[in-house]
Amino acid sequence: MKAYKEMGREELLALKEELESQYAAAKAKGLKLDMSRGKAASAQLDMEMDFLDTINSSSDVNTEAGVDCRNYGLLDGIPEAKKLMADMMGVLESQVIVCGNASLSIMYDTVARSMIFGVMGSTPWCKLDKVKFLCPVPGYDRHFAITEHFGIEMINIPMTEQGPDMDLVEQYVNNDPAVKGIWCVPKYSNPQGYTYSDETVRRFAALKPAASDFRIFWDNAYTIHFIYEEKDEELLEILTECEKAGNPDMVYEFCSTSKVTFPGGGISAIASSEGNLNFIKSAMTIQTIGYDKLNQLRHVRYFKDIKGMKEHMKKHAAIVRPKFEAVLDVLEKELGGLGLGTWTKPVGGYFISFETMEGCAKAVVEKCKEAGVVLTGAGATYPYKKDPRDSNIRLAPTFPSSEELSLATDLFVLCVKLVSAEKLLESKA
Amino acid sequence: MKAYKEMGREELLALKEELESQYAAAKAKGLKLDMSRGKAASAQLDMEMDFLDTINSSSDVNTEAGVDCRNYGLLDGIPEAKKLMADMMGVLESQVIVCGNASLSIMYDTVARSMIFGVMGSTPWCKLDKVKFLCPVPGYDRHFAITEHFGIEMINIPMTEQGPDMDLVEQYVNNDPAVKGIWCVPKYSNPQGYTYSDETVRRFAALKPAASDFRIFWDNAYTIHFIYEEKDEELLEILTECEKAGNPDMVYEFCSTSKVTFPGGGISAIASSEGNLNFIKSAMTIQTIGYDKLNQLRHVRYFKDIKGMKEHMKKHAAIVRPKFEAVLDVLEKELGGLGLGTWTKPVGGYFISFETMEGCAKAVVEKCKEAGVVLTGAGATYPYKKDPRDSNIRLAPTFPSSEELSLATDLFVLCVKLVSAEKLLESKA
């Protein structure tokens, strides 16, 4: 098919009319579908229901060292769970604290702690006139929500297929002492599915921050979340790189099992240097007597080790893969060559990142919604919900069933076409 | 036996010698016992192991309304769990948010949030020159640790059998705008086991705080933790009282199932007014996608309702009761009439509060420790760990086995006698 831009006004008008009648028909179907969040599908959760049988009334509830997981104690997690989460991140057991059901809460707490108590002895951020965070864009809306909530100024850093624009990152971090952090999803990034290159990781490790309390918030959310096992990408282990580069305390790494076991009932962890962990524990010991150790034990008993966990991820991939492929097929078939957008083709993670023509994203999302398909809000992938080009849309293919997904994607491409045609007509008006 | 104070110097010296030889013999036993924390005993946890069978691979994992508890969602808890926790506190379901495994974390978060964001629109506490909390004493060390951690000044308020000294509370709260909070354990208080009288609760509700952001931190930790079902005490429901008195937003109430199901794997809740809950949720929605709903569902399935929960508490009471009675029997038999201390006789909760002669608590705890019995640190029941009279010791009878408890209590009374004799001899020197 012909690229829309090459069409004349009359041709576009005719096309628009045709698309509008298709849209009216689609709307009449009364769809009610949600493609907005990176949620696991019921099929994924059903296949791991035996997770819930791993500790029962006849089970031994002690750790290997004999600690009763039902009772109080072990602030930083049971050793076996530390080992498992460490292996997920490729770090040492001694570099890990295991927490509750959500890594997002650890990130929130980490920012909150820095606001009130500073970072390893630095001035509390709430006492400073200005605190800034770098935000690779498009990125994860809940990261941006945390920094916005705390009144931290956010600066957009463009993403490339190798990771954030490191020239810009270096320029900010190495010169501006108000820059205290950067949000990163280094593997199968949200929403693109990009994995940071070795060079990117090494440049991160080699930063010379103007602020001694600058920290990289390394949200390794999708570390083992490959879609194609054989194409699983390698991410350089950043704690080691930072240590080598003389920046041992520069990173907080986060991960969780929210998309390994159950989104509502997983466990999470933070990995960092001894200095950071000690500082974190000094607050944690006031904050809690300890997290749910029974759920930590469930994970250890269910997976045994990281090998078991990766085997399990193959089952997730088997369910998720066809959904990604279905969406990508429709995008290619319906939009290929039309010049109406570009999109990523991830081999891991939970999202596809779609770029419309400039100024179309909001209208596309709105049109989808009108016809009963909820997408992630346009702009959500940018700080302050402001996408300067109004072009990024995050597609989350995992939650809907295959049938729903097909209906939703068909509507999506239709809306892209319609909004693009309208946009081009405007410029020809 | 004769009160020690009535003994002459020679008599005391002889007694001391005798006690010292008993102590040496006790020390030679090489005990290694822990009576320091309010931990449930293994026997309590063993009798409820079937709790772990309540959700398994063949279970329905949906709430009554059809929400999948394995997945994301329901920030403030599943409705059924809200109802259960509301009934524990005697409040409405709509007044409750259900959280993770520890009410301590909710309290910490509540103080942290007030520090950074203020309270329903008030100035963030971290921007103020001085923030003060009233601390009924003796009280719960972890409460005091939170306020100390945040640099909040703590003011001792003496406890009576009816609750905190309300004249003093009114004087501070109604006149000093820097007073932003008070820590309360209103039922079976930690460590005394006192329950606030109706008059105390009504006077709390009728406070006229100088600070609009003053809040009562009502830690209803032992609300259904009776030792004698037939003597279970009634606590007036404070949210209703506050509403009646025109102070609807004045209270945060906390509770948990840490000592109902598993200390390491329970659920917790906060109850408050609509205004407070909305403000809390505005931060929670940034902080987390939701707490572990599977564990909430486990609780609902296991207990069915508050009646089931109270039936379950009878089983705990049956295990805990003989331990309290054993300690109280030894105290009465060994120390009765000697004038060496007073102690509470709780009908609920987890502790006995012991008052030595002035200036003896530290030495008693130290002597016990030397002979292998760890008690809660002397001073721990006071802000800044400073017991001005050095007389309060918190006894926690629940964790040790009956045999261990008997050994530990024998040693305790011996140490009280010995330290008291030494103290009296000093004054006669």
Side-chain angles (χ1 to χ4, degrees):
Chain A
M1 213 177 143
K2 199 169 165 183
Y4 280 29
K5 274 181 197 162
E6 290 160 23
M7 291 183 186
R9 189 173 148 75
E10 291 312 307
E11 202 176 357
L12 267 176
L13 272 173
L15 177 66
K16 185 179 156 232
E17 205 169 315
E18 162 61 19
L19 293 168
E20 268 168 351
S21 91
Q22 286 177 25
Y23 180 72
K27 214 167 151 180
K29 286 185 197 163
L31 298 179
K32 221 183 147 187
L33 303 172
D34 190 338
M35 215 164 63
S36 70
R37 305 287 329 168
K39 279 173 81 166
S42 297
Q44 288 172 264
L45 308 181
D46 289 344
M47 68 86 180
E48 59 193 16
M49 276 296 279
D50 50 341
F51 172 79
L52 296 169
D53 303 332
T54 42
I55 309 184
N56 55 38
S57 57
S58 59
S59 297
D60 175 12
V61 288
N62 288 356
T63 66
E64 277 168 40
V67 172
D68 187 337
C69 291
R70 302 168 303 182
N71 223 324
Y72 291 125
L74 284 186
L75 181 67
D76 56 356
I78 67 173
E80 295 92 324
K82 280 193 196 177
K83 169 79 176 129
L84 187 64
M85 300 307 277
D87 287 344
M88 264 184 91
M89 294 182 272
V91 303
L92 300 174
E93 197 183 317
S94 60
Q95 292 171 314
V96 171
I97 297 173
V98 185
C99 301
N101 78 319
S103 55
L104 191 75
S105 299
I106 320 181
M107 296 177 221
Y108 178 97
D109 276 355
T110 304
V111 175
R113 196 188 316 111
S114 309
M115 292 297 292
I116 307 178
F117 299 110
V119 176
M120 283 178 66
S122 78
T123 306
W125 295 355
C126 72
K127 305 281 185 198
L128 302 174
D129 288 337
K130 179 73 87 182
V131 175
K132 301 175 190 170
F133 258 58
L134 305 184
C135 300
V137 289
Y140 179 35
D141 55 351
R142 289 187 183 272
H143 286 163
F144 306 152
I146 290 175
T147 22
E148 184 173 3
H149 186 62
F150 284 101
I152 292 171
E153 183 181 316
M154 294 181 279
I155 297 166
N156 291 357
I157 303 288
M159 275 289 287
T160 73
E161 287 190 36
Q162 282 71 48
D165 176 337
M166 290 308 295
D167 290 343
L168 212 51
V169 169
E170 285 163 358
Q171 190 183 307
Y172 277 111
V173 173
N174 297 353
N175 294 298
D176 187 349
V179 172
K180 302 295 188 188
I182 181 169
W183 290 115
C184 296
V185 182
K187 190 167 174 184
Y188 305 137
S189 65
N190 177 352
Q192 307 89 341
Y194 296 154
T195 298
Y196 291 11
S197 69
D198 290 359
E199 196 205 332
T200 297
V201 176
R202 287 202 184 96
R203 285 178 73 177
F204 263 113
L207 286 170
K208 303 272 170 254
S212 67
D213 51 351
F214 168 82
R215 292 292 182 273
I216 300 166
F217 286 66
W218 198 253
D219 184 3
N220 209 346
Y222 307 107
T223 169
I224 55 173
H225 301 59
F226 49 80
I227 298 176
Y228 300 89
E229 194 201 350
E230 63 282 10
K231 295 185 196 165
D232 187 22
E233 294 175 346
E234 278 289 331
L235 173 71
L236 211 54
E237 198 288 286
I238 191 154
L239 289 179
T240 309
E241 293 305 313
C242 282
E243 218 170 302
K244 278 198 250 170
N247 281 322
D249 298 323
M250 201 167 57
V251 182
Y252 303 123
E253 181 168 358
F254 308 93
C255 86
S256 84
T257 65
S258 292
K259 281 160 186 126
V260 178
T261 54
F262 295 125
I267 57 176
S268 62
I270 178 169
S272 200
S273 68
E274 199 186 340
N276 282 321
L277 291 189
N278 285 340
F279 186 73
I280 292 168
K281 281 186 219 169
S282 72
M284 264 181 75
T285 191
I286 307 293
Q287 186 172 13
T288 180
I289 307 180
Y291 291 99
D292 186 338
K293 291 186 297 297
L294 285 170
N295 211 32
Q296 295 178 19
L297 191 63
R298 270 184 206 104
H299 281 76
V300 171
R301 294 275 164 84
Y302 189 59
F303 294 121
K304 307 283 187 296
D305 53 27
I306 185 67
K307 226 180 116 221
M309 207 180 225
K310 284 188 177 162
E311 280 303 311
H312 183 72
M313 292 313 286
K314 290 188 201 171
K315 298 184 209 163
H316 279 292
I319 297 170
V320 162
R321 192 166 49 239
K323 296 187 178 183
F324 273 83
E325 290 177 347
V327 173
L328 290 169
D329 283 351
V330 173
L331 293 180
E332 188 54 44
K333 205 179 98 220
E334 293 293 325
L335 299 178
L338 298 188
L340 306 185
T342 58
W343 54 91
T344 58
K345 295 164 190 72
V347 297
Y350 261 66
F351 304 102
I352 294 165
S353 182
F354 189 95
E355 290 287 328
T356 66
M357 285 167 30
E358 186 161 350
C360 292
K362 261 191 198 149
V364 168
V365 171
E366 186 52 40
K367 274 233 173 319
C368 284
K369 193 177 168 190
E370 257 178 57
V373 172
V374 178
L375 302 176
T376 307
T381 52
Y382 280 77
Y384 312 108
K385 298 197 169 73
K386 281 184 198 153
D387 175 358
R389 295 184 69 250
D390 183 24
S391 62
N392 187 253
I393 297 175
R394 185 181 80 166
L395 299 175
T398 56
F399 187 65
S401 69
S402 293
E403 198 191 350
E404 290 170 340
L405 194 62
S406 157
L407 289 165
T409 313
D410 287 345
L411 181 74
F412 174 72
V413 294
L414 174 59
C415 292
V416 170
K417 288 178 187 172
L418 180 53
V419 170
S420 303
E422 284 170 354
K423 191 81 190 170
L424 286 166
L425 276 166
E426 267 174 41
S427 68
K428 287 180 201 284
Chain B
M1 216 178 141
K2 200 168 164 184
Y4 280 29
K5 274 181 196 162
E6 289 160 22
M7 291 184 186
R9 187 172 151 74
E10 290 312 306
E11 203 177 354
L12 267 176
L13 272 173
L15 177 66
K16 185 180 157 232
E17 204 169 318
E18 163 61 20
L19 292 168
E20 270 167 352
S21 93
Q22 285 177 27
Y23 181 72
K27 214 168 153 181
K29 285 185 197 163
L31 298 178
K32 222 184 148 186
L33 303 172
D34 191 337
M35 215 164 67
S36 70
R37 307 285 329 168
K39 280 173 81 165
S42 298
Q44 287 172 265
L45 308 181
D46 290 344
M47 67 86 180
E48 59 194 15
M49 277 296 279
D50 51 339
F51 171 80
L52 296 169
D53 303 332
T54 41
I55 311 184
N56 55 40
S57 57
S58 59
S59 296
D60 175 13
V61 288
N62 288 356
T63 66
E64 277 168 42
V67 172
D68 187 337
C69 291
R70 301 168 303 181
N71 223 323
Y72 291 125
L74 284 187
L75 181 68
D76 56 355
I78 66 174
E80 295 92 324
K82 279 193 196 178
K83 169 79 175 130
L84 187 63
M85 300 307 277
D87 287 345
M88 263 184 92
M89 295 182 272
V91 302
L92 301 174
E93 198 182 317
S94 60
Q95 293 171 314
V96 170
I97 297 174
V98 185
C99 301
N101 78 319
S103 55
L104 192 73
S105 299
I106 320 180
M107 296 178 222
Y108 179 96
D109 277 356
T110 305
V111 175
R113 196 187 317 112
S114 309
M115 292 297 293
I116 307 178
F117 300 109
V119 176
M120 284 176 67
S122 78
T123 306
W125 294 355
C126 72
K127 305 279 186 201
L128 302 174
D129 288 336
K130 180 72 88 181
V131 175
K132 302 175 191 170
F133 259 58
L134 306 184
C135 301
V137 289
Y140 179 35
D141 54 351
R142 288 187 184 272
H143 286 163
F144 306 152
I146 290 175
T147 22
E148 184 173 1
H149 186 61
F150 284 100
I152 293 171
E153 184 182 314
M154 295 181 278
I155 297 165
N156 292 357
I157 303 288
M159 276 288 287
T160 73
E161 286 190 37
Q162 282 72 48
D165 176 337
M166 289 309 294
D167 290 343
L168 213 50
V169 169
E170 285 163 357
Q171 190 184 310
Y172 277 110
V173 174
N174 296 354
N175 295 297
D176 186 349
V179 171
K180 301 295 187 189
I182 181 168
W183 289 116
C184 296
V185 182
K187 190 167 174 186
Y188 306 137
S189 65
N190 178 351
Q192 306 89 342
Y194 295 154
T195 298
Y196 292 10
S197 69
D198 290 358
E199 196 204 330
T200 297
V201 177
R202 290 203 183 97
R203 286 178 73 177
F204 263 113
L207 285 169
K208 303 272 169 255
S212 67
D213 52 353
F214 167 82
R215 292 291 181 273
I216 301 166
F217 286 67
W218 198 252
D219 184 2
N220 209 347
Y222 306 107
T223 168
I224 55 172
H225 301 59
F226 50 79
I227 299 175
Y228 300 88
E229 193 201 351
E230 63 283 10
K231 294 185 195 166
D232 187 21
E233 294 175 346
E234 279 287 333
L235 173 71
L236 211 55
E237 199 287 287
I238 190 154
L239 289 180
T240 309
E241 292 305 313
C242 283
E243 220 170 302
K244 279 197 250 170
N247 281 321
D249 298 323
M250 201 167 56
V251 181
Y252 302 124
E253 181 167 358
F254 308 94
C255 85
S256 84
T257 64
S258 292
K259 282 161 186 125
V260 178
T261 55
F262 295 126
I267 57 176
S268 62
I270 179 169
S272 200
S273 68
E274 198 185 341
N276 282 321
L277 292 189
N278 285 340
F279 186 72
I280 292 168
K281 281 186 219 168
S282 71
M284 263 181 77
T285 191
I286 306 293
Q287 185 172 15
T288 182
I289 307 179
Y291 291 98
D292 186 339
K293 291 187 294 297
L294 285 170
N295 211 31
Q296 294 177 19
L297 192 62
R298 271 184 205 103
H299 281 78
V300 171
R301 294 275 164 84
Y302 190 59
F303 294 121
K304 309 281 188 296
D305 54 27
I306 185 65
K307 226 179 117 223
M309 208 180 224
K310 285 190 177 164
E311 279 303 311
H312 184 71
M313 292 312 286
K314 289 187 201 170
K315 297 184 209 164
H316 279 292
I319 297 171
V320 162
R321 192 167 49 238
K323 296 187 179 185
F324 272 83
E325 289 177 348
V327 172
L328 291 169
D329 282 353
V330 173
L331 293 179
E332 188 54 43
K333 206 178 98 217
E334 291 294 324
L335 298 178
L338 298 187
L340 306 185
T342 57
W343 54 91
T344 59
K345 295 162 191 74
V347 296
Y350 261 65
F351 304 103
I352 294 164
S353 183
F354 189 94
E355 291 285 328
T356 66
M357 286 168 29
E358 187 162 350
C360 291
K362 263 192 196 148
V364 168
V365 170
E366 187 52 41
K367 275 232 171 323
C368 283
K369 192 176 170 191
E370 257 177 57
V373 172
V374 179
L375 302 176
T376 307
T381 51
Y382 280 77
Y384 311 107
K385 296 197 170 69
K386 280 184 200 153
D387 175 357
R389 295 186 69 250
D390 183 25
S391 63
N392 187 254
I393 297 175
R394 185 181 80 166
L395 299 175
T398 55
F399 186 65
S401 68
S402 293
E403 196 190 352
E404 290 170 338
L405 193 64
S406 155
L407 289 165
T409 314
D410 286 347
L411 181 74
F412 173 73
V413 293
L414 174 59
C415 292
V416 169
K417 288 177 187 174
L418 180 52
V419 170
S420 303
E422 285 169 353
K423 191 82 189 169
L424 286 167
L425 276 166
E426 268 175 40
S427 68
K428 287 179 201 285

